[in-house]
Amino acid sequence: MANRVGLLQEAYQKFMAFSPGDADQVRVFFAPGRVNLIGEHTDYNGGLVFPAALTLGTWVFVRSRQDHHFRFASTSFAATVEVSGENVQYAAKDDFANYPKGVIWAFLQRGIEMSGADMLFAGDLPNRAGLSSSASVELATAVALQAISGSELSMVELVKIGQQAENQFVGVNSGIMDQFAVGMGKAGHAILLDCATLDYTLASIDMPDYHLIMINTNKQRGLADSKYNERYSQCQTAVQELQSVFPGLQFLAEIAPQDWPRADAAIVDPVIKKRARHVVFEHARTKEAANLLRALDLEGFGRLMNESHVSLRDDYEVTGVELDALAKAAWSVPGCIGSRMTGAGFGGCTVSIVRKDDY
């Protein structure tokens, strides 16, 4: 808590230097990060995911302007960025500011007028670590813009705005899991979300005898310049090839495990086959994992976490040396009943379930 107080005091001082004026005009908004317990790379494939919001997250300090300009600063980046609300465009040189810019662009796409703002971002989420720092920035921005514009969008609509910013402005073909978990998360619960329909249920993750442990590889990765978009494209190719066998197929997650042999026979390219196999069985694992958690079968839940990591390593090929080393080390520790990578992969964090007596 002391570190968080210090972080916010530093952020406030930096904001007042960045945007001098009456302190009473400053507003502060917060959005959490998220960890995904199981269900990876299934969101953009119409499948189930099982994320939970974190207590770590992003604050944005905001002062309204009247000149229709937006200025961005951060405690994590030295650069400041300014854009006119009449010309909001993606620019690689603007780095972190492209995420709030994308949210502003999405608001403008909906015809919502804004007078401008100074915005400074501060957070305790590690950047590019698979804990949805980008979605946290997007939702913090969306909630702030909602307040200063006087719009009355639902939280689900703000979630969709965050995804639109990521997909259409930043250029990452991600699903809606990250923004949904950030916007709709509830303390002490995970969200079982059907990404095809946005139907969801909350599931208690009260584990009195266990800890959820996240470990950072400290290997950063950027979604847009990683293999993420390539995986998305490969899954779209698989759907197209399988439509001759499964007429009307829209998403890979619609294929049941018992129907996999038909899909396996229809896909020629061995790489595309592996990508599709991961999605089909990861979707099924996620559904089973939610049922096991309800039944308080944490050992079974942990087993599925381990299977998920192996599939992400061997079939989806998004783990890497660092994540594999952490998962393997966790599997060898007494008291760890499950461990897997979380997030897009290519770096970032693992999440593990560990008995408190062994931690």
Side-chain angles (χ1 to χ4, degrees):
M1 182 61 71
N3 289 341
R4 178 167 280 187
V5 170
L7 182 152
L8 293 176
Q9 289 175 337
E10 177 189 351
Y12 175 73
Q13 292 168 2
K14 185 170 183 178
F15 179 78
M16 293 303 288
F18 169 67
S19 179
D22 189 343
D24 290 340
Q25 297 174 347
V26 180
R27 303 182 69 177
V28 184
F29 303 87
F30 174 81
R34 71 95 189 94
V35 62
N36 192 27
L37 302 180
I38 193 167
E40 220 66 75
H41 290 277
T42 50
D43 55 348
Y44 54 85
N45 285 297
L48 293 170
V49 294
F50 204 35
L54 301 171
T55 54
L56 305 177
T58 303
W59 291 263
V60 57
F61 290 71
V62 181
R63 188 194 303 278
S64 295
R65 301 172 62 95
Q66 300 303 316
D67 59 0
H68 299 282
H69 278 240
F70 293 87
R71 299 170 65 238
F72 309 101
S74 169
T75 58
S76 300
F77 301 91
T80 60
V81 175
E82 181 172 352
V83 298
S84 167
E86 298 175 353
N87 187 30
V88 182
Q89 297 183 16
Y90 178 88
K93 64 180 177 60
D94 290 345
D95 198 8
F96 79 93
N98 283 306
Y99 294 98
K101 281 167 55 182
V103 175
I104 292 166
W105 170 82
F107 266 76
L108 294 172
Q109 292 286 303
R110 286 161 172 76
I112 299 172
E113 296 184 5
M114 292 170 290
S115 62
D118 289 342
M119 310 181 83
L120 180 138
F121 296 88
D124 49 9
L125 282 169
N127 292 320
R128 298 184 176 94
L131 301 178
S132 292
S133 57
S134 61
S136 183
V137 167
E138 289 158 0
L139 266 294
T141 303
V143 172
L145 292 179
Q146 168 107 300
I148 66 176
S149 69
S151 57
E152 297 181 352
L153 302 175
S154 68
M155 181 56 74
V156 171
E157 188 64 23
L158 297 182
V159 164
K160 292 178 179 178
I161 281 176
Q163 186 194 17
Q164 183 184 6
E166 189 118 8
N167 291 174
Q168 299 177 26
F169 192 86
V170 178
V172 180
N173 292 316
S174 59
I176 201 167
M177 173 182 69
D178 293 353
Q179 292 82 8
F180 200 95
V182 169
M184 302 294 287
K186 179 181 178 182
H189 291 76
I191 301 175
L192 181 67
L193 171 66
D194 184 331
C195 295
T197 65
L198 298 190
D199 292 335
Y200 72 98
T201 57
L202 294 172
S204 172
I205 49 174
D206 180 28
M207 302 178 184
D209 298 324
Y210 295 86
H211 283 300
L212 274 175
I213 306 295
M214 286 168 286
I215 302 178
N216 193 355
T217 64
N218 289 316
K219 179 181 180 181
Q220 293 188 343
R221 53 102 189 98
L223 289 178
D225 58 3
S226 73
K227 295 290 186 178
Y228 191 98
N229 285 346
E230 179 184 88
R231 295 298 184 277
Y232 174 88
S233 178
Q234 289 168 336
C235 290
Q236 295 305 300
T237 298
V239 169
Q240 292 169 8
E241 292 184 9
L242 290 171
Q243 284 172 341
S244 61
V245 181
F246 301 94
L249 183 74
Q250 290 185 287
F251 298 110
L252 286 175
E254 295 171 13
I255 300 172
Q258 60 267 26
D259 292 327
W260 173 249
R262 293 168 59 203
D264 180 80
I267 301 175
V268 176
D269 187 311
V271 173
I272 301 298
K273 191 189 300 269
K274 289 198 298 182
R275 306 299 187 249
R277 181 168 57 212
H278 165 74
V279 173
V280 169
F281 288 94
E282 182 78 351
H283 172 74
R285 274 190 292 269
T286 306
K287 184 175 183 179
E288 182 183 356
N291 290 332
L292 291 174
L293 186 61
R294 292 188 193 98
L296 301 180
D297 184 354
L298 295 183
E299 297 279 349
F301 191 99
R303 171 181 53 80
L304 293 178
M305 291 176 67
N306 296 341
E307 291 178 8
S308 173
H309 185 91
V310 170
S311 180
L312 289 158
R313 180 192 69 194
D314 297 346
D315 279 348
Y316 223 67
E317 298 179 286
V318 293
T319 56
V321 174
E322 296 86 357
L323 285 167
D324 289 339
L326 285 182
K328 185 177 180 180
W331 295 339
S332 69
V333 173
C336 178
I337 62 173
S339 184
R340 61 183 291 278
M341 60 154 272
T342 185
F346 313 105
C349 295
T350 58
V351 58
S352 307
I353 301 178
V354 182
R355 289 190 188 90
K356 289 181 178 179
D357 291 344
D358 296 299
Y359 175 68

